[in-house]
Amino acid sequence: MLRKVSLILQRHAAPIFHNTSRKQSHLHANSLFKVHPSVSEALENQKPVVALESTIITHGMPYPHNLSTAKEVEAIVKTNGATPATVAVLEGRVHVGLSEQELQFLASTSTSLKVSRRDLPYVLSKSLSGGTTVSATMIAAHRAGIPVFVTGGVGGVHRGGQTTMDVSADLTELGRTPITVVSAGVKSILDIGRTLEYLETQGVCVATFGKTKDFPAFFSPHSGFTSPYNVANAEEAAELIITALSLGLESGLLIAVPISEEQAAIGQHIEDAIQTALSEVREKGITGRNVTPFILQRINALTRGKSLEANISLIYNNAKVGSQIACALTKLKQGKKTTSPSQPKRSDLKSHPRTIVIGGINVDFIAKGKQERLLFGQTNPGSVYQSFGGVGRNIADCLTRLGEHPLFISAIGNDTHADSVLSYCRHMNTTAVARIPEQRTATYCAVITEEGELSLGLGDMDIHQQVTKQYVSQFEQQLSSASLVCLDGNIPVSTIDYVCSIARKHAVPVWYEPTDPDKACNPFLSDSWKSLTYISPNLAELLAMNRTLGFNTPAEEPTLLEDVLNTAMTLCHPLLEHLLCVVVTLGPHGVLLFGKSESGTVYLQSRNHHLGARLCAIHYPALPVSSEEIVNVSGAGDSLAAGIMAGILQERDTDTCVRMGLIAARLSLGSHDPVAPSLSMETINPERMRSHCCPQGTVHWSCESNTSENIQLL
């Protein structure tokens, strides 16, 4: 009868069994895995699906409680908007989703085996049937493309496991299969402390569902141990899952759901029964896979069925929570892919965004030393973490978080880094990011000191040269009607020249953000720089620009603040014949604005680019930050520039624009990400900025004419 059931194969899953012939292996694997039509249809239409294990049916409860519980769990999943996919092995085939007849068969047969990862090859080869454990269910769910799996409780390290080495395969499976397991924590008959330690070793992210980090112990919401993290609701759990998947990690997630307080009231009674059952296990010499079923049966007998009631209750609760998480995850994926205004379809490129950013996108690896001085040639203690950067990406990210919707033009490879970075940037408009076959996504490795200063940087940036004039010219209509175009120094000189020519023709303001002293010179190799409106170099980059134009420059950079300001003003002065404003980033010294003046301040609005000859220089000190607070220095300058740009686009006054930039930079320094995820118009609200103790700008120089005699030259 079972062989006559019509089941649909999952088409795109990779085989997990291998013969000498790859083609034969693929065909053989497909014959061993069957997906129920309802599950296949839901997956095909990108609807939420929840995987369910079946050892709770075959070994967790007596008949008919097991059958009624299984049906009720599936009903709860459906009620909460998801499709249930109970996993089991039936006559040598792994079934993902069961019919009522198959559930009945599984619940009533007494010959069903308990099937874990290790048992799959044998059970399938012998055409046997059985209930799948957590590990086997994870394998089947992952192969079918189901990201969320609900169970009662996961296995763990058995009491005394430090000597017996009795550790559940569930834990190692969580460490190597990227599935989210929703459970009531770890069974209280196990060593919970060692189980959590083992999960940490396996790289498994563990989070309690709810307001606290208390790790539940199956029948009790409190085990005496804490989870590393907690997620307050289904939406937070979905964000956690999608982030983990975006990183490409091969490990799973464990979301521990506490049992309801009503059922937890009998927890102490059950705990007493557990201790009695454990003593009987030792007396009878029961070992291995027979331990857990024996203990559960004895606990049920000793508590006169109360433990079974609590067990059923927590499974129902897990099914409800897991279904809500699966629905939130589906909604999040669909929202980011199709309906989010920040991620338009390619057809939306016919629209005309008022801001366009053209530049690099990188995967960053930041290493921060933990001692005052880094010693080269040997290993130094420190912390290493991954983030997503690139000057252009950082600016586009920052502008997006500040209410703008820039079109970001860039290039990435066709690799796993590209998948990760696109997923991380899903809140941005990345429809103009080209994906280049047989190319590597740009990567950057920075080594910073304990104080947060850059000690060494290494970059694999070749792909930035793929942001060619030919590619960018596809967006000429958008460029010609933009309110602001931002270029970073990573893109080819020919692309910079092309964009500047379009900007000159259509009077579009252009902001140039150099990325290092060498690339800072790119617009100055021709007359393209005369089409720029704003530039934001540091002092070294400003020196390089002047050298390229043939101006005299000092041999060394000054260190004292007054000397730094005088040097910066002198270097800016000849550039202002064509530029509206030079924004000189001075690191811990803050920022210097030098530009065309109106009403005693530097004028930032570009509509009257060629104002009178009056010039003004204003210095704004940096916001105070200690070395202990500095986590990442890679995005502070980009955040500063983007904060000022956002202020300009919103037609704020000059002081407000700079304060927005300074606060954005301050938030960046304290974040692992180059652009702080907390950045928003709320966090840098101009009406609230007074409370941040933002320093006032100090006018250092102004004059009535744009001649060199009016400033003290070097």
Side-chain angles (χ1 to χ4, degrees):
M1 179 186 295
L2 292 173
R3 289 195 176 99
K4 295 180 180 179
V5 179
S6 175
L7 299 172
I8 297 178
L9 292 174
Q10 183 69 12
R11 294 181 180 178
H12 303 295
I16 64 168
F17 300 104
H18 300 276
N19 282 331
T20 53
S21 166
R22 182 176 298 178
K23 183 175 181 181
Q24 290 175 350
S25 171
H26 181 72
L27 293 173
H28 186 51
N30 276 342
S31 70
L32 298 176
F33 281 80
K34 299 290 185 179
V35 181
H36 191 274
S38 63
V39 177
S40 179
E41 181 181 359
L43 292 171
E44 188 78 18
N45 294 313
Q46 299 182 359
K47 295 180 179 179
V49 178
V50 172
L52 303 167
E53 53 115 325
S54 52
T55 52
I56 195 170
I57 303 172
T58 58
H59 293 78
M61 295 179 187
Y63 183 83
H65 296 291
N66 56 354
L67 179 60
S68 60
T69 300
K71 288 183 177 180
E72 182 62 24
V73 168
E74 289 198 346
I76 290 171
V77 172
K78 292 177 183 177
T79 300
N80 283 275
T83 298
T86 301
V87 177
V89 177
L90 299 176
E91 298 184 345
R93 294 176 182 174
V94 178
H95 288 234
V96 181
L98 302 178
S99 67
E100 284 195 27
Q101 290 177 320
E102 290 163 345
L103 272 177
Q104 176 70 41
F105 168 80
L106 200 63
S108 58
T109 185
S110 59
T111 58
S112 291
L113 301 175
K114 189 175 183 180
V115 184
S116 184
R117 168 185 272 266
R118 73 164 188 183
D119 309 303
L120 277 171
Y122 181 82
V123 173
L124 269 60
S125 69
K126 295 294 185 180
S127 297
L128 302 175
S129 300
T132 52
T133 65
V134 169
S135 63
T137 306
M138 288 178 70
I139 292 169
H142 180 51
R143 188 181 187 283
I146 303 170
V148 178
F149 159 39
V150 167
T151 184
V154 296
V157 179
H158 282 258
R159 300 189 185 194
Q162 68 274 21
T163 55
T164 65
M165 300 301 292
D166 193 352
V167 180
S168 171
D170 297 353
L171 305 187
T172 49
E173 200 63 50
L174 274 163
R176 60 187 170 190
T177 302
I179 290 289
T180 296
V181 178
V182 179
S183 81
V186 174
K187 297 181 177 74
S188 54
I189 60 177
L190 304 170
D191 189 327
I192 295 176
R194 285 192 171 89
T195 298
L196 288 171
E197 289 288 345
Y198 195 92
L199 286 169
E200 180 184 0
T201 301
Q202 292 292 315
V204 179
C205 181
V206 179
T208 297
F209 188 88
K211 297 179 180 179
T212 74
K213 294 183 180 179
D214 290 340
F215 187 77
F218 205 64
F219 293 120
S220 172
H222 312 289
S223 66
F225 297 90
T226 59
S227 296
Y229 310 104
N230 72 298
V231 286
N233 49 47
E235 288 69 30
E236 284 192 12
E239 286 282 3
L240 177 65
I241 295 168
I242 205 166
T243 303
L245 293 173
S246 300
L247 288 171
L249 302 178
E250 293 302 316
S251 52
L253 299 174
L254 177 62
I255 296 183
V257 182
I259 192 173
S260 66
E261 290 294 337
E262 302 140 4
Q263 292 297 326
I266 65 168
Q268 187 56 52
H269 182 39
I270 296 175
E271 185 59 34
D272 293 339
I274 289 172
Q275 297 303 322
T276 300
L278 285 169
S279 297
E280 293 180 7
V281 165
R282 289 191 291 270
E283 292 170 4
K284 296 178 181 291
I286 299 172
T287 60
R289 64 166 60 191
N290 297 319
V291 171
T292 298
F294 174 82
I295 290 177
L296 292 177
Q297 290 170 4
R298 288 297 294 142
I299 292 171
N300 186 51
L302 292 168
T303 61
R304 298 181 180 180
K306 293 294 183 182
S307 65
L308 181 59
E309 292 178 17
N311 196 357
I312 293 173
S313 176
L314 69 85
I315 291 168
Y316 290 168
N317 189 45
N318 291 352
K320 177 182 177 182
V321 172
S323 302
Q324 292 171 347
I325 292 173
C327 291
L329 180 61
T330 299
K331 184 177 180 181
L332 185 62
K333 286 180 177 179
Q334 291 176 344
K336 300 305 182 185
K337 284 182 179 179
T338 59
T339 62
S340 170
S342 304
Q343 184 73 19
K345 299 177 182 178
R346 286 213 173 255
S347 59
D348 294 336
L349 290 179
K350 296 178 181 178
S351 63
H352 295 275
R354 70 171 186 165
T355 315
I356 298 176
V357 179
I358 308 174
I361 188 168
N362 306 332
V363 178
D364 291 344
F365 297 91
I366 310 297
K368 183 178 182 182
K370 290 186 177 179
Q371 57 191 24
E372 186 175 348
R373 183 167 170 266
L374 295 177
L375 303 176
F376 285 86
Q378 66 183 63
T379 301
N380 293 263
S383 58
V384 181
Y385 52 89
Q386 177 184 328
S387 61
F388 300 100
V391 172
R393 194 219 69 86
N394 292 346
I395 291 173
D397 187 352
C398 192
L399 287 171
T400 301
R401 295 179 190 275
L402 294 179
E404 300 298 322
H405 298 281
L407 178 67
F408 178 42
I409 303 175
S410 188
I412 55 176
N414 191 22
D415 50 19
T416 56
H417 282 323
D419 296 331
S420 298
V421 78
L422 283 178
S423 181
Y424 179 82
C425 298
R426 59 187 180 274
H427 61 290
M428 298 163 49
N429 183 351
T430 57
T431 51
V433 175
R435 191 153 187 173
I436 313 297
E438 300 181 2
Q439 291 279 341
R440 297 185 304 275
T441 300
T443 52
Y444 174 70
C445 180
V447 180
I448 61 177
T449 64
E450 187 180 25
E451 292 75 25
E453 294 299 321
L454 180 65
S455 177
L456 177 68
L458 294 172
D460 179 1
M461 309 289 187
D462 291 349
I463 197 169
H464 294 155
Q465 298 307 303
Q466 299 297 322
V467 187
T468 61
K469 169 186 174 181
Q470 290 74 20
Y471 179 69
V472 174
S473 65
Q474 299 177 56
F475 308 96
E476 183 169 332
Q477 288 187 352
Q478 290 88 342
L479 289 167
S480 61
S481 62
S483 298
L484 179 67
V485 174
C486 177
L487 307 174
D488 87 18
N490 286 306
I491 61 178
V493 174
S494 57
T495 304
I496 294 174
D497 292 343
Y498 165 73
V499 174
C500 286
S501 68
I502 297 297
R504 181 170 56 250
K505 180 179 179 181
H506 297 279
V508 175
V510 179
W511 185 299
Y512 181 64
E513 172 68 20
T515 56
D516 59 49
D518 289 336
K519 295 174 183 175
C521 306
N522 288 347
F524 297 87
L525 298 172
S526 66
D527 283 342
S528 291
W529 74 276
K530 296 178 182 179
S531 301
L532 302 177
T533 313
Y534 315 92
I535 59 173
S536 47
N538 59 28
L539 196 57
E541 292 160 351
L542 188 57
L543 283 163
M545 293 173 178
N546 275 257
R547 291 192 192 106
T548 303
L549 293 174
F551 300 134
N552 292 328
T553 58
E556 296 181 358
E557 291 184 41
T559 55
L560 297 177
L561 176 58
E562 195 63 31
D563 294 337
V564 167
L565 294 176
N566 285 334
T567 300
M569 288 189 291
T570 304
L571 295 170
C572 290
H573 191 267
L575 305 180
L576 291 171
E577 181 180 352
H578 298 282
L579 304 179
L580 176 63
C581 180
V582 180
V583 180
V584 187
T585 58
L586 302 174
H589 291 311
V591 60
L592 176 74
L593 262 64
F594 198 175
K596 306 293 173 62
S597 176
E598 183 182 68
S599 302
T601 187
V602 173
Y603 190 72
L604 291 179
Q605 301 302 327
S606 62
R607 56 178 170 268
N608 295 319
H609 187 160
H610 298 288
L611 295 170
R614 186 180 183 88
L615 299 179
C616 183
I618 306 178
H619 173 239
Y620 293 83
L623 295 178
V625 56
S626 66
S627 60
E628 290 78 14
E629 295 175 289
I630 296 176
V631 178
N632 185 356
V633 298
S634 67
D638 305 334
S639 297
L640 171 72
I644 297 174
M645 287 183 219
I648 293 171
L649 290 163
Q650 296 166 19
E651 299 191 353
R652 308 280 188 176
D653 62 85
T654 298
D655 281 353
T656 299
C657 291
V658 178
R659 287 172 182 155
M660 289 171 64
L662 288 171
I663 295 177
R666 172 65 181 80
L667 290 172
S668 171
L669 289 171
S671 170
H672 284 290
D673 299 294
V675 175
S678 61
L679 180 67
S680 67
M681 279 307 300
E682 181 65 22
T683 56
I684 63 170
N685 190 325
E687 300 303 320
R688 299 175 57 197
M689 284 194 294
R690 278 76 178 166
S691 63
H692 286 79
C693 300
C694 283
Q696 295 291 322
T698 302
V699 177
H700 270 252
W701 183 84
S702 68
C703 72
E704 293 293 336
S705 65
N706 188 23
T707 59
S708 59
E709 287 79 9
N710 285 284
I711 187 170
Q712 182 181 4
L713 293 176
L714 295 166

